[in-house]
């Protein structure tokens, strides 16, 4: 028997494994149940109604399997579904938008502008702008729809991805009322582009620090489950669920998680 | 009352509107009911089991609304789901893979190699290779995962898309056992890249003709419903269904269909 907490982690696919990686680092005393809704991936271009339905079903599944806290690792689901699901949730829910904004606020001067790179859905929701506003910050939200497919194609470096990043960054800088003091990576795929983005922004506008909401989310989760910050006597147990293409999930996982994963259980979610 | 046939058209999203465009041109005496499964879009990276389930549900929906023939406009669904659904279908089903291969065979010498550009799912199924083999042709199947997001971002021209096309074309040419005599666009989004692809292939390997399976599919459909080739006294009636993001569907439609669409009905498909 174990008294280790079981943390549920939900994402539209395997991108959220970048969040799980940070959770494993900061909460070594917990076990983890990860659910990727690969049947509906990507969420970035889907409607709020659909994303809310999928997220509700995923939370229900994770809780029915024993999760006592659920991290919504997907930025789009955090932005579009979390606000309406938060109040009636059966367990505490942790999103990535609030911690991401808070992490930016911690490193920039008051009244700064921050640049948020995210999916179309996340940007249109203005969830980051609202979260940043609570810290007195102004957010410029820039959709970067090609970043997810570039990462999934494995093109995380090279001249083509540099040029695409330059287009997005230049458009974003042109739209900013003042030079941004930080860049928030508002999508779980984007940390894989971090070295390239850091290099490109240095060419365009100096050395702006990049904030990744994965680490901020893990730190926030520690405040809710402080005992799990201490490593237990055993390795964390990990179990993976996906709603489609389990084999592909398993193949892509190491790129995001930094380790191989043993098996992926294929499940169907009731809407 | 009308005796105009009602043709169902199924696609994973709005890409199949390039096929509807050709159907409208070749079958002006028919009415059309178009269903885009935008909740599960894109199909290119999903599993055969899931795509078969979604396609079966879509055909059932279209037939229940009166469709007497269904065109599977999505290449991935044609490749992965059609073979297993064909025999027990309640109405005739027309896919795009067979007509695409036939159109290529019509313009190349015997024993030629043709280059098929398609999604990962379509390429992995080798449906085009099999269809080409029935005409004595050899197919080199090249997945081009960035083409769909590039088209959806509206980047159908310009140096970045040229460079990405060059990478894919050069890799494909290097893998071809002999210079290809034709290029088949094996995805409904790719016709929007046709001018760029024609230009890039001319730089790399001369003037290889490009075959778009949309027109070939429409010509094949005419053989099944010959009376619909004659324009009736009325304009074709069009009705559009989508499983998510109806507003986005409506906004993207003109780029693929070449005309505005009035309304999109949001529906849920039972798996």
């Amino acid at each position: 028997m174990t008294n280790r907490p079981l943390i549920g982690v939900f994402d539209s696919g395997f991108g959220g494994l970048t969040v799980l990686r940070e959770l494993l680092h900061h909460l070594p005393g917990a076990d983890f149940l990860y659910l990727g809704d690969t049947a509906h991936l990507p969420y970035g271009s889907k409607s709020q109604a659909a994303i809310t339905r999928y997220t509700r079903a995923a939370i229900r599944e994770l809780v029915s399997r024993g999760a006592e806290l659920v991290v919504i690792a997907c930025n789009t689901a955090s932005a579009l579904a979390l606000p309406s699901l938060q109040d009636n949730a059966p367990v505490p829910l942790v999103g990535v938008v609030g911690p991401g904004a808070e992490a930016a606020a911690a490193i920039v001067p008051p009244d700064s502008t921050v640049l948020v790179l995210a999916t179309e859905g996340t940007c249109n929701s203005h969830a980051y702008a609202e979260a940043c506003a609570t810290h007195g910050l102004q957010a410029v939200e820039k959709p970067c729809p090609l970043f997810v497919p570039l990462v999934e194609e494995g093109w995380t470096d090279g001249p083509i991805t540099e040029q695409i990043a330059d287009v997005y960054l230049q458009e974003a800088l042109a739209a900013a009322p003042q030079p941004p003091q930080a860049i928030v990576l508002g999508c779980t795929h984007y940390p894989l582009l971090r070295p390239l983005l850091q290099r490109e922004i240095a060419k365009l506008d100096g050395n702006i620090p990049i904030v990744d909401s994965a680490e901020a989310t893990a730190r926030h989760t520690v405040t809710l489950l402080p005992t799990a910050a201490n490593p237990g006597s055993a390795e964390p147990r990990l179990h993976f669920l996906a709603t489609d293409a389990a084999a592909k999930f398993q193949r892509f996982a190491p790129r995001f998680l930094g380790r191989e994963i043993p098996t992926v259980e294929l499940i169907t979610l009731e809407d």
Side-chain angles (χ1 to χ4, degrees), chain A:
Chain A
M1 295 304 288
T2 171
N3 58 1
R4 298 168 66 95
L6 180 65
I7 299 178
V9 182
F10 171 61
D11 186 53
S12 59
F14 23 77
L17 293 169
T18 58
V19 177
L20 177 57
R21 188 178 192 159
E22 291 296 330
L23 289 166
L24 280 164
H25 182 67
H26 289 274
L27 297 119
D31 294 327
F32 295 90
L33 178 61
Y34 183 100
L35 167 52
D37 186 16
T38 39
H40 296 108
L41 165 152
Y43 277 13
S45 56
K46 301 216 160 64
S47 72
Q48 178 162 24
I51 291 168
T52 303
R53 214 165 62 237
Y54 307 151
T55 305
R56 187 187 293 117
I59 292 167
R60 198 184 303 134
E61 180 72 22
L62 289 165
V63 171
S64 79
R65 290 170 177 254
E68 55 200 82
L69 178 148
V70 174
V71 176
I72 311 294
C74 173
N75 280 269
T76 309
S78 293
L80 290 163
L82 187 57
S84 66
L85 299 177
Q86 190 81 272
D87 286 344
N88 295 310
V91 298
L93 304 180
V94 176
V96 291
V97 171
E102 198 178 327
I107 61 163
V108 299
D111 306 317
S112 292
T113 293
V114 302
L115 171 57
V116 179
L117 307 179
T119 66
E120 194 190 347
T122 301
C123 289
N124 289 345
S125 77
H126 302 305
Y128 269 103
E130 285 166 26
C132 287
T134 65
H135 299 283
L137 303 177
Q138 187 165 9
V140 173
E141 296 162 301
K142 175 63 186 168
C144 306
L146 288 165
F147 279 176
V148 168
L150 283 167
V151 168
E152 298 209 343
E153 181 74 323
W155 293 14
T156 50
D157 207 349
I160 289 174
T161 306
E162 280 174 9
Q163 290 170 70
I164 292 172
D166 283 354
V167 170
Y168 288 145
L169 290 171
Q170 283 177 19
E171 287 175 357
L173 293 174
Q178 57 177 336
Q181 299 293 312
I183 296 177
V184 177
L185 302 184
C187 171
T188 54
H189 279 66
Y190 298 2
L192 280 81
L193 294 170
R194 188 175 180 151
L196 179 143
L197 289 168
Q198 194 75 71
R199 216 167 55 224
E200 294 311 304
I201 195 71
K203 285 186 210 161
L204 293 171
D205 200 40
N207 193 23
I208 307 178
I210 293 181
V211 174
D212 164 4
S213 52
E215 203 209 340
T217 302
R219 287 187 186 280
H220 178 69
T221 308
V222 170
T223 65
L224 300 175
L225 289 173
T227 58
N230 305 315
S233 54
E235 281 290 293
R237 284 181 305 183
L238 305 178
H239 189 71
F240 297 91
L241 310 168
T243 53
D244 188 32
K248 185 175 178 188
F249 186 103
Q250 205 171 354
R251 202 168 70 245
F252 270 65
R255 206 184 292 169
F256 293 84
L257 187 60
R259 62 166 86 176
E260 301 286 331
I261 63 174
T263 53
V264 178
E265 182 185 345
L266 189 65
I267 62 163
T268 303
L269 287 182
E270 298 302 322
D271 272 8

